[in-house]
Amino acid sequence: MANQQEQTSRQNPDQTVPVSVEPRSQDSDRPLNHNLPDFLLSVRLKYVKLGYHYLISKAIYLLLVPLLGISSAHLSALTARDLAQLWNQLRFNLITVVLCSTLMVFLVTLYFMTLPRKVYLVDFACYKPDDSACHKSDPARICTHETFMERSELTNVFTKENLAFQQRILERSGLGQRTYVPEAVLQVPPNRCMAEARAEAEAIMFGAVDQLLAKTGVKAKDIGILVVNCSVFNPTPSLSAMIVNHYKLRGNVLSYNIGGMGCSAGLISIDLVKQLLQVNRNFYALVVSLESITLNWYFGNDRSMLVSNCLFRMGGAAILLSNRSSDRRRSKYQLIHTVRTHKGADDKSYNCAFQREDDKKIIGVSLSKDLMAVAGEALKTNITTLGPLVLPMSEQLLFFATLVAKKVFKMKSRPYIPDFKLAFEHFCIHAGGRAVLDEVQKNLELTDWHLEPSQMTLYRFGNTSSSSLWYELAYSEAKGRIRKGDRTWQIGFGSGFKCNSTVWRALRTIDPVKEKNPWMDEIHEFPVHVPKAVSIGSTMK
């Protein structure tokens, strides 16, 4: 089945069953999550203007190209006699020549000083327990549905009703039977302590970074920038300090630790590195994205906090970026755009994913019933800003025609939502849950082929927070789908509330035979059919 589906072209993708999650409220079985808002209903003009502001701010570099071409054409047509006459004129207009030359040198210098440095993604690596540096038994980390329910019951913490609630969520989650959870959580009783949390973080970070350094051949001492993002586990010394200590990075490394920014923090880290590489020449930058589960598994009975137990799993990724021109030939991708959207000024958006204590003083992350609506508004804002940067002119003209008809002529027409499939060949949508994936697919009118990397990542690895986007890109590479010139759109959502995008262009065709990523030893098994719901053999009494 997997082979038949992979042979299908992009234009005629196989149909797969969509996957969704419907968390429910504490007091009833009413779903917490509503559908994403219909993007066709409203488009805010200010975000369109913002996108064009980004575009125009870079247009000066495009305008200089035809000017240089015209000048070169005129110079090439000059004869020896023309040059002699020009020399005579210059000798009698020395002041004009000096002023013009000074102005030209100034403009050329200004151009090269303000020209953004290109940022390359040399390679990346995703954590998988079988490849980790951990010395403990890896099978103990595999969390089947039955294992999840059995261990949840053995804690003697959850009520019978909430065990049934978690079972319903898990049955509809879209997660498979081979996701990973830290051993400390699966132990009976759970061993939730700082030492185990550090061990989990070390296994993920060192496992991914070891693989990345081996793939690229870059020495740890060559890394000049280090950015680590983990939302809910921020020990002292920091996670970035743990990497500096373990790999003995140089003393002047620019080290950053990003916390509390949810599942979109990975793309925030990429954007931060992009800014840093604009002001530092010939630098390697290492980004490590992960989430920690050990101290943040919720052992209480507030249903808004129980959903994360059912979805979040163990995972992480390490990404190596460079602004060295010499690295272009061996790099996989070039960073084209980053667009960040923050809705934190709105109280509903700010509170939709909130770490707090329940009525028994047990800490957990509460997910509001408004989460899907908030995510939809953030996504709509983000893509409205991104559109002018990436869409072909035909789509932009259609979009503006309908927008003008509605805003200026007050015509009762629905705004035209551009076809982003014309701008991107691949889509990596944060695998936060099947409901999010289904709604994004519907609103962006994506095919099952486009959504396959996200769905399969959710199925195989679960919600690994900010690193899920890299498992998805690794899936496309393992399938041999990435060709030179292909554009990939990564979309991440996070608490705050934030929606962030990055756009990559492939610098070469990725040969899966030469790749080493977490999918390679089992890629022939995918894609798989994911039913809307599965039955879990629970031991609940």
PDB file of all heavy atoms in Angstrom, residues 12-43:
ATOM      1  N   ASN A  12      -2.100  13.936  -8.346  1.00  0.00           N
ATOM      2  CA  ASN A  12      -3.144  12.958  -8.067  1.00  0.00           C
ATOM      3  C   ASN A  12      -2.792  12.161  -6.823  1.00  0.00           C
ATOM      4  O   ASN A  12      -2.489  10.986  -6.868  1.00  0.00           O
ATOM      5  CB  ASN A  12      -3.305  12.005  -9.262  1.00  0.00           C
ATOM      6  CG  ASN A  12      -3.730  12.734 -10.512  1.00  0.00           C
ATOM      7  OD1 ASN A  12      -4.869  13.137 -10.628  1.00  0.00           O
ATOM      8  ND2 ASN A  12      -2.797  12.918 -11.450  1.00  0.00           N
ATOM      9  N   PRO A  13      -2.774  12.809  -5.661  1.00  0.00           N
ATOM     10  CA  PRO A  13      -2.378  12.126  -4.437  1.00  0.00           C
ATOM     11  C   PRO A  13      -3.397  11.091  -4.000  1.00  0.00           C
ATOM     12  O   PRO A  13      -4.582  11.204  -4.289  1.00  0.00           O
ATOM     13  CB  PRO A  13      -2.298  13.281  -3.431  1.00  0.00           C
ATOM     14  CG  PRO A  13      -3.260  14.279  -3.950  1.00  0.00           C
ATOM     15  CD  PRO A  13      -3.187  14.183  -5.442  1.00  0.00           C
ATOM     16  N   ASP A  14      -2.932  10.081  -3.285  1.00  0.00           N
ATOM     17  CA  ASP A  14      -3.842   9.100  -2.704  1.00  0.00           C
ATOM     18  C   ASP A  14      -4.687   9.767  -1.643  1.00  0.00           C
ATOM     19  O   ASP A  14      -4.267  10.695  -0.975  1.00  0.00           O
ATOM     20  CB  ASP A  14      -3.048   7.948  -2.079  1.00  0.00           C
ATOM     21  CG  ASP A  14      -2.573   6.982  -3.137  1.00  0.00           C
ATOM     22  OD1 ASP A  14      -1.978   7.395  -4.138  1.00  0.00           O
ATOM     23  OD2 ASP A  14      -2.787   5.816  -2.973  1.00  0.00           O
ATOM     24  N   GLN A  15      -5.858   9.231  -1.452  1.00  0.00           N
ATOM     25  CA  GLN A  15      -6.750   9.764  -0.426  1.00  0.00           C
ATOM     26  C   GLN A  15      -6.469   9.032   0.882  1.00  0.00           C
ATOM     27  O   GLN A  15      -6.444   7.808   0.934  1.00  0.00           O
ATOM     28  CB  GLN A  15      -8.223   9.562  -0.832  1.00  0.00           C
ATOM     29  CG  GLN A  15      -8.580  10.283  -2.117  1.00  0.00           C
ATOM     30  CD  GLN A  15      -8.446  11.782  -1.961  1.00  0.00           C
ATOM     31  OE1 GLN A  15      -8.846  12.342  -0.959  1.00  0.00           O
ATOM     32  NE2 GLN A  15      -7.866  12.426  -2.958  1.00  0.00           N
ATOM     33  N   THR A  16      -6.254   9.760   1.948  1.00  0.00           N
ATOM     34  CA  THR A  16      -6.084   9.177   3.272  1.00  0.00           C
ATOM     35  C   THR A  16      -7.154   9.709   4.185  1.00  0.00           C
ATOM     36  O   THR A  16      -7.708  10.776   3.960  1.00  0.00           O
ATOM     37  CB  THR A  16      -4.713   9.524   3.875  1.00  0.00           C
ATOM     38  OG1 THR A  16      -4.617  10.942   3.955  1.00  0.00           O
ATOM     39  CG2 THR A  16      -3.589   8.983   3.030  1.00  0.00           C
ATOM     40  N   VAL A  17      -7.446   8.959   5.221  1.00  0.00           N
ATOM     41  CA  VAL A  17      -8.492   9.374   6.151  1.00  0.00           C
ATOM     42  C   VAL A  17      -7.966  10.471   7.040  1.00  0.00           C
ATOM     43  O   VAL A  17      -6.913  10.328   7.653  1.00  0.00           O
ATOM     44  CB  VAL A  17      -8.937   8.171   7.003  1.00  0.00           C
ATOM     45  CG1 VAL A  17      -9.996   8.595   8.003  1.00  0.00           C
ATOM     46  CG2 VAL A  17      -9.480   7.077   6.098  1.00  0.00           C
ATOM     47  N   PRO A  18      -8.634  11.617   7.130  1.00  0.00           N
ATOM     48  CA  PRO A  18      -8.163  12.688   7.994  1.00  0.00           C
ATOM     49  C   PRO A  18      -8.223  12.307   9.442  1.00  0.00           C
ATOM     50  O   PRO A  18      -8.956  11.408   9.844  1.00  0.00           O
ATOM     51  CB  PRO A  18      -9.109  13.858   7.673  1.00  0.00           C
ATOM     52  CG  PRO A  18     -10.338  13.213   7.139  1.00  0.00           C
ATOM     53  CD  PRO A  18      -9.882  11.983   6.437  1.00  0.00           C
ATOM     54  N   VAL A  19      -7.416  12.992  10.234  1.00  0.00           N
ATOM     55  CA  VAL A  19      -7.285  12.674  11.646  1.00  0.00           C
ATOM     56  C   VAL A  19      -7.649  13.889  12.470  1.00  0.00           C
ATOM     57  O   VAL A  19      -7.290  14.993  12.129  1.00  0.00           O
ATOM     58  CB  VAL A  19      -5.819  12.290  11.956  1.00  0.00           C
ATOM     59  CG1 VAL A  19      -5.718  11.641  13.299  1.00  0.00           C
ATOM     60  CG2 VAL A  19      -5.304  11.338  10.894  1.00  0.00           C
ATOM     61  N   SER A  20      -8.369  13.725  13.587  1.00  0.00           N
ATOM     62  CA  SER A  20      -8.749  14.888  14.399  1.00  0.00           C
ATOM     63  C   SER A  20      -8.781  14.543  15.865  1.00  0.00           C
ATOM     64  O   SER A  20      -8.928  13.393  16.245  1.00  0.00           O
ATOM     65  CB  SER A  20     -10.119  15.430  13.978  1.00  0.00           C
ATOM     66  OG  SER A  20     -11.116  14.480  14.243  1.00  0.00           O
ATOM     67  N   VAL A  21      -8.631  15.563  16.675  1.00  0.00           N
ATOM     68  CA  VAL A  21      -8.700  15.411  18.128  1.00  0.00           C
ATOM     69  C   VAL A  21      -9.745  16.362  18.643  1.00  0.00           C
ATOM     70  O   VAL A  21      -9.759  17.516  18.258  1.00  0.00           O
ATOM     71  CB  VAL A  21      -7.343  15.725  18.790  1.00  0.00           C
ATOM     72  CG1 VAL A  21      -7.466  15.659  20.294  1.00  0.00           C
ATOM     73  CG2 VAL A  21      -6.316  14.732  18.323  1.00  0.00           C
ATOM     74  N   GLU A  22     -10.601  15.920  19.532  1.00  0.00           N
ATOM     75  CA  GLU A  22     -11.640  16.772  20.069  1.00  0.00           C
ATOM     76  C   GLU A  22     -11.578  16.753  21.593  1.00  0.00           C
ATOM     77  O   GLU A  22     -12.309  16.027  22.251  1.00  0.00           O
ATOM     78  CB  GLU A  22     -13.016  16.313  19.593  1.00  0.00           C
ATOM     79  CG  GLU A  22     -13.201  16.447  18.081  1.00  0.00           C
ATOM     80  CD  GLU A  22     -14.603  16.107  17.642  1.00  0.00           C
ATOM     81  OE1 GLU A  22     -15.353  15.572  18.484  1.00  0.00           O
ATOM     82  OE2 GLU A  22     -14.951  16.368  16.483  1.00  0.00           O
ATOM     83  N   PRO A  23     -10.679  17.526  22.207  1.00  0.00           N
ATOM     84  CA  PRO A  23     -10.647  17.622  23.650  1.00  0.00           C
ATOM     85  C   PRO A  23     -11.961  18.176  24.162  1.00  0.00           C
ATOM     86  O   PRO A  23     -12.595  19.002  23.516  1.00  0.00           O
ATOM     87  CB  PRO A  23      -9.508  18.609  23.906  1.00  0.00           C
ATOM     88  CG  PRO A  23      -8.784  18.728  22.632  1.00  0.00           C
ATOM     89  CD  PRO A  23      -9.704  18.343  21.550  1.00  0.00           C
ATOM     90  N   ARG A  24     -12.356  17.760  25.362  1.00  0.00           N
ATOM     91  CA  ARG A  24     -13.644  18.173  25.886  1.00  0.00           C
ATOM     92  C   ARG A  24     -13.488  18.884  27.222  1.00  0.00           C
ATOM     93  O   ARG A  24     -12.488  18.803  27.890  1.00  0.00           O
ATOM     94  CB  ARG A  24     -14.574  16.953  26.005  1.00  0.00           C
ATOM     95  CG  ARG A  24     -14.766  16.295  24.634  1.00  0.00           C
ATOM     96  CD  ARG A  24     -15.609  15.057  24.696  1.00  0.00           C
ATOM     97  NE  ARG A  24     -15.688  14.463  23.379  1.00  0.00           N
ATOM     98  CZ  ARG A  24     -16.614  14.757  22.480  1.00  0.00           C
ATOM     99  NH1 ARG A  24     -17.539  15.657  22.765  1.00  0.00           N
ATOM    100  NH2 ARG A  24     -16.617  14.189  21.299  1.00  0.00           N
ATOM    101  N   SER A  25     -14.511  19.583  27.597  1.00  0.00           N
ATOM    102  CA  SER A  25     -14.443  20.422  28.788  1.00  0.00           C
ATOM    103  C   SER A  25     -14.508  19.590  30.044  1.00  0.00           C
ATOM    104  O   SER A  25     -14.839  18.411  30.031  1.00  0.00           O
ATOM    105  CB  SER A  25     -15.601  21.433  28.767  1.00  0.00           C
ATOM    106  OG  SER A  25     -16.834  20.749  28.881  1.00  0.00           O
ATOM    107  N   GLN A  26     -14.240  20.241  31.159  1.00  0.00           N
ATOM    108  CA  GLN A  26     -14.223  19.570  32.453  1.00  0.00           C
ATOM    109  C   GLN A  26     -15.610  19.085  32.846  1.00  0.00           C
ATOM    110  O   GLN A  26     -15.778  18.025  33.416  1.00  0.00           O
ATOM    111  CB  GLN A  26     -13.688  20.540  33.508  1.00  0.00           C
ATOM    112  CG  GLN A  26     -13.797  20.053  34.937  1.00  0.00           C
ATOM    113  CD  GLN A  26     -12.804  18.963  35.229  1.00  0.00           C
ATOM    114  OE1 GLN A  26     -11.780  18.876  34.600  1.00  0.00           O
ATOM    115  NE2 GLN A  26     -13.127  18.117  36.186  1.00  0.00           N
ATOM    116  N   ASP A  27     -16.631  19.836  32.539  1.00  0.00           N
ATOM    117  CA  ASP A  27     -17.956  19.560  33.080  1.00  0.00           C
ATOM    118  C   ASP A  27     -18.830  18.739  32.156  1.00  0.00           C
ATOM    119  O   ASP A  27     -19.890  18.269  32.551  1.00  0.00           O
ATOM    120  CB  ASP A  27     -18.675  20.891  33.379  1.00  0.00           C
ATOM    121  CG  ASP A  27     -17.872  21.723  34.372  1.00  0.00           C
ATOM    122  OD1 ASP A  27     -17.283  21.124  35.283  1.00  0.00           O
ATOM    123  OD2 ASP A  27     -17.842  22.963  34.217  1.00  0.00           O
ATOM    124  N   SER A  28     -18.446  18.587  30.922  1.00  0.00           N
ATOM    125  CA  SER A  28     -19.292  17.862  29.992  1.00  0.00           C
ATOM    126  C   SER A  28     -18.448  17.278  28.886  1.00  0.00           C
ATOM    127  O   SER A  28     -17.237  17.398  28.872  1.00  0.00           O
ATOM    128  CB  SER A  28     -20.351  18.803  29.403  1.00  0.00           C
ATOM    129  OG  SER A  28     -19.746  19.742  28.541  1.00  0.00           O
ATOM    130  N   ASP A  29     -19.117  16.648  27.923  1.00  0.00           N
ATOM    131  CA  ASP A  29     -18.422  16.111  26.759  1.00  0.00           C
ATOM    132  C   ASP A  29     -18.418  17.095  25.613  1.00  0.00           C
ATOM    133  O   ASP A  29     -18.192  16.734  24.464  1.00  0.00           O
ATOM    134  CB  ASP A  29     -19.079  14.798  26.307  1.00  0.00           C
ATOM    135  CG  ASP A  29     -18.680  13.643  27.223  1.00  0.00           C
ATOM    136  OD1 ASP A  29     -17.699  13.808  27.952  1.00  0.00           O
ATOM    137  OD2 ASP A  29     -19.359  12.604  27.202  1.00  0.00           O
ATOM    138  N   ARG A  30     -18.666  18.380  25.884  1.00  0.00           N
ATOM    139  CA  ARG A  30     -18.628  19.400  24.843  1.00  0.00           C
ATOM    140  C   ARG A  30     -17.190  19.583  24.382  1.00  0.00           C
ATOM    141  O   ARG A  30     -16.298  19.761  25.199  1.00  0.00           O
ATOM    142  CB  ARG A  30     -19.180  20.724  25.384  1.00  0.00           C
ATOM    143  CG  ARG A  30     -19.171  21.841  24.355  1.00  0.00           C
ATOM    144  CD  ARG A  30     -19.875  23.066  24.915  1.00  0.00           C
ATOM    145  NE  ARG A  30     -19.267  23.499  26.166  1.00  0.00           N
ATOM    146  CZ  ARG A  30     -18.218  24.324  26.225  1.00  0.00           C
ATOM    147  NH1 ARG A  30     -17.662  24.756  25.122  1.00  0.00           N
ATOM    148  NH2 ARG A  30     -17.730  24.690  27.394  1.00  0.00           N
ATOM    149  N   PRO A  31     -16.926  19.560  23.059  1.00  0.00           N
ATOM    150  CA  PRO A  31     -15.530  19.709  22.593  1.00  0.00           C
ATOM    151  C   PRO A  31     -14.929  21.025  23.027  1.00  0.00           C
ATOM    152  O   PRO A  31     -15.577  22.057  23.008  1.00  0.00           O
ATOM    153  CB  PRO A  31     -15.672  19.635  21.065  1.00  0.00           C
ATOM    154  CG  PRO A  31     -16.962  18.925  20.815  1.00  0.00           C
ATOM    155  CD  PRO A  31     -17.849  19.325  21.964  1.00  0.00           C
ATOM    156  N   LEU A  32     -13.669  20.964  23.439  1.00  0.00           N
ATOM    157  CA  LEU A  32     -12.935  22.186  23.754  1.00  0.00           C
ATOM    158  C   LEU A  32     -12.600  22.955  22.494  1.00  0.00           C
ATOM    159  O   LEU A  32     -12.638  24.168  22.457  1.00  0.00           O
ATOM    160  CB  LEU A  32     -11.621  21.843  24.476  1.00  0.00           C
ATOM    161  CG  LEU A  32     -11.681  21.534  25.968  1.00  0.00           C
ATOM    162  CD1 LEU A  32     -10.303  21.072  26.407  1.00  0.00           C
ATOM    163  CD2 LEU A  32     -12.111  22.743  26.761  1.00  0.00           C
ATOM    164  N   ASN A  33     -12.235  22.240  21.451  1.00  0.00           N
ATOM    165  CA  ASN A  33     -11.739  22.889  20.241  1.00  0.00           C
ATOM    166  C   ASN A  33     -12.848  23.121  19.239  1.00  0.00           C
ATOM    167  O   ASN A  33     -13.579  22.203  18.882  1.00  0.00           O
ATOM    168  CB  ASN A  33     -10.654  22.030  19.579  1.00  0.00           C
ATOM    169  CG  ASN A  33      -9.399  21.977  20.410  1.00  0.00           C
ATOM    170  OD1 ASN A  33      -9.206  22.818  21.262  1.00  0.00           O
ATOM    171  ND2 ASN A  33      -8.570  20.992  20.154  1.00  0.00           N
ATOM    172  N   HIS A  34     -12.960  24.350  18.766  1.00  0.00           N
ATOM    173  CA  HIS A  34     -13.846  24.662  17.663  1.00  0.00           C
ATOM    174  C   HIS A  34     -13.035  24.607  16.375  1.00  0.00           C
ATOM    175  O   HIS A  34     -11.825  24.558  16.380  1.00  0.00           O
ATOM    176  CB  HIS A  34     -14.452  26.048  17.842  1.00  0.00           C
ATOM    177  CG  HIS A  34     -15.217  26.194  19.137  1.00  0.00           C
ATOM    178  ND1 HIS A  34     -16.302  25.413  19.439  1.00  0.00           N
ATOM    179  CD2 HIS A  34     -15.031  27.022  20.196  1.00  0.00           C
ATOM    180  CE1 HIS A  34     -16.779  25.767  20.628  1.00  0.00           C
ATOM    181  NE2 HIS A  34     -16.010  26.734  21.115  1.00  0.00           N
ATOM    182  N   ASN A  35     -13.752  24.616  15.255  1.00  0.00           N
ATOM    183  CA  ASN A  35     -13.055  24.633  13.974  1.00  0.00           C
ATOM    184  C   ASN A  35     -12.337  25.954  13.780  1.00  0.00           C
ATOM    185  O   ASN A  35     -12.692  26.975  14.368  1.00  0.00           O
ATOM    186  CB  ASN A  35     -14.049  24.411  12.836  1.00  0.00           C
ATOM    187  CG  ASN A  35     -14.601  22.998  12.828  1.00  0.00           C
ATOM    188  OD1 ASN A  35     -13.999  22.108  13.413  1.00  0.00           O
ATOM    189  ND2 ASN A  35     -15.730  22.798  12.177  1.00  0.00           N
ATOM    190  N   LEU A  36     -11.314  25.917  12.920  1.00  0.00           N
ATOM    191  CA  LEU A  36     -10.652  27.166  12.551  1.00  0.00           C
ATOM    192  C   LEU A  36     -11.662  28.086  11.880  1.00  0.00           C
ATOM    193  O   LEU A  36     -12.551  27.630  11.173  1.00  0.00           O
ATOM    194  CB  LEU A  36      -9.503  26.894  11.578  1.00  0.00           C
ATOM    195  CG  LEU A  36      -8.270  26.175  12.107  1.00  0.00           C
ATOM    196  CD1 LEU A  36      -7.306  25.947  10.953  1.00  0.00           C
ATOM    197  CD2 LEU A  36      -7.595  26.957  13.193  1.00  0.00           C
ATOM    198  N   PRO A  37     -11.538  29.396  12.068  1.00  0.00           N
ATOM    199  CA  PRO A  37     -12.434  30.321  11.378  1.00  0.00           C
ATOM    200  C   PRO A  37     -12.220  30.245   9.878  1.00  0.00           C
ATOM    201  O   PRO A  37     -11.117  30.002   9.403  1.00  0.00           O
ATOM    202  CB  PRO A  37     -12.013  31.694  11.932  1.00  0.00           C
ATOM    203  CG  PRO A  37     -10.616  31.515  12.388  1.00  0.00           C
ATOM    204  CD  PRO A  37     -10.536  30.098  12.890  1.00  0.00           C
ATOM    205  N   ASP A  38     -13.298  30.455   9.140  1.00  0.00           N
ATOM    206  CA  ASP A  38     -13.216  30.430   7.680  1.00  0.00           C
ATOM    207  C   ASP A  38     -12.401  31.611   7.199  1.00  0.00           C
ATOM    208  O   ASP A  38     -12.764  32.762   7.396  1.00  0.00           O
ATOM    209  CB  ASP A  38     -14.627  30.489   7.088  1.00  0.00           C
ATOM    210  CG  ASP A  38     -14.638  30.179   5.597  1.00  0.00           C
ATOM    211  OD1 ASP A  38     -13.555  30.271   4.975  1.00  0.00           O
ATOM    212  OD2 ASP A  38     -15.709  29.863   5.067  1.00  0.00           O
ATOM    213  N   PHE A  39     -11.277  31.334   6.535  1.00  0.00           N
ATOM    214  CA  PHE A  39     -10.388  32.404   6.086  1.00  0.00           C
ATOM    215  C   PHE A  39     -11.044  33.290   5.029  1.00  0.00           C
ATOM    216  O   PHE A  39     -10.605  34.388   4.771  1.00  0.00           O
ATOM    217  CB  PHE A  39      -9.098  31.813   5.506  1.00  0.00           C
ATOM    218  CG  PHE A  39      -8.215  31.186   6.545  1.00  0.00           C
ATOM    219  CD1 PHE A  39      -7.024  30.593   6.176  1.00  0.00           C
ATOM    220  CD2 PHE A  39      -8.568  31.185   7.889  1.00  0.00           C
ATOM    221  CE1 PHE A  39      -6.204  30.004   7.128  1.00  0.00           C
ATOM    222  CE2 PHE A  39      -7.764  30.595   8.839  1.00  0.00           C
ATOM    223  CZ  PHE A  39      -6.582  30.009   8.462  1.00  0.00           C
ATOM    224  N   LEU A  40     -12.097  32.771   4.404  1.00  0.00           N
ATOM    225  CA  LEU A  40     -12.748  33.545   3.357  1.00  0.00           C
ATOM    226  C   LEU A  40     -13.616  34.678   3.902  1.00  0.00           C
ATOM    227  O   LEU A  40     -14.008  35.576   3.161  1.00  0.00           O
ATOM    228  CB  LEU A  40     -13.620  32.624   2.496  1.00  0.00           C
ATOM    229  CG  LEU A  40     -12.866  31.603   1.635  1.00  0.00           C
ATOM    230  CD1 LEU A  40     -13.856  30.633   1.015  1.00  0.00           C
ATOM    231  CD2 LEU A  40     -12.075  32.289   0.555  1.00  0.00           C
ATOM    232  N   LEU A  41     -13.930  34.635   5.188  1.00  0.00           N
ATOM    233  CA  LEU A  41     -14.876  35.602   5.728  1.00  0.00           C
ATOM    234  C   LEU A  41     -14.275  36.980   5.908  1.00  0.00           C
ATOM    235  O   LEU A  41     -14.966  37.982   5.791  1.00  0.00           O
ATOM    236  CB  LEU A  41     -15.426  35.092   7.072  1.00  0.00           C
ATOM    237  CG  LEU A  41     -16.258  33.806   6.980  1.00  0.00           C
ATOM    238  CD1 LEU A  41     -16.744  33.404   8.360  1.00  0.00           C
ATOM    239  CD2 LEU A  41     -17.446  33.985   6.036  1.00  0.00           C
ATOM    240  N   SER A  42     -12.997  37.070   6.245  1.00  0.00           N
ATOM    241  CA  SER A  42     -12.402  38.382   6.477  1.00  0.00           C
ATOM    242  C   SER A  42     -10.902  38.339   6.253  1.00  0.00           C
ATOM    243  O   SER A  42     -10.252  37.366   6.581  1.00  0.00           O
ATOM    244  CB  SER A  42     -12.686  38.857   7.914  1.00  0.00           C
ATOM    245  OG  SER A  42     -12.063  38.009   8.845  1.00  0.00           O
ATOM    246  N   VAL A  43     -10.388  39.410   5.667  1.00  0.00           N
ATOM    247  CA  VAL A  43      -8.951  39.595   5.498  1.00  0.00           C
ATOM    248  C   VAL A  43      -8.612  41.006   5.928  1.00  0.00           C
ATOM    249  O   VAL A  43      -9.196  41.965   5.434  1.00  0.00           O
ATOM    250  CB  VAL A  43      -8.515  39.378   4.034  1.00  0.00           C
ATOM    251  CG1 VAL A  43      -7.039  39.695   3.870  1.00  0.00           C
ATOM    252  CG2 VAL A  43      -8.782  37.943   3.604  1.00  0.00           C
TER     253      VAL A  43
END
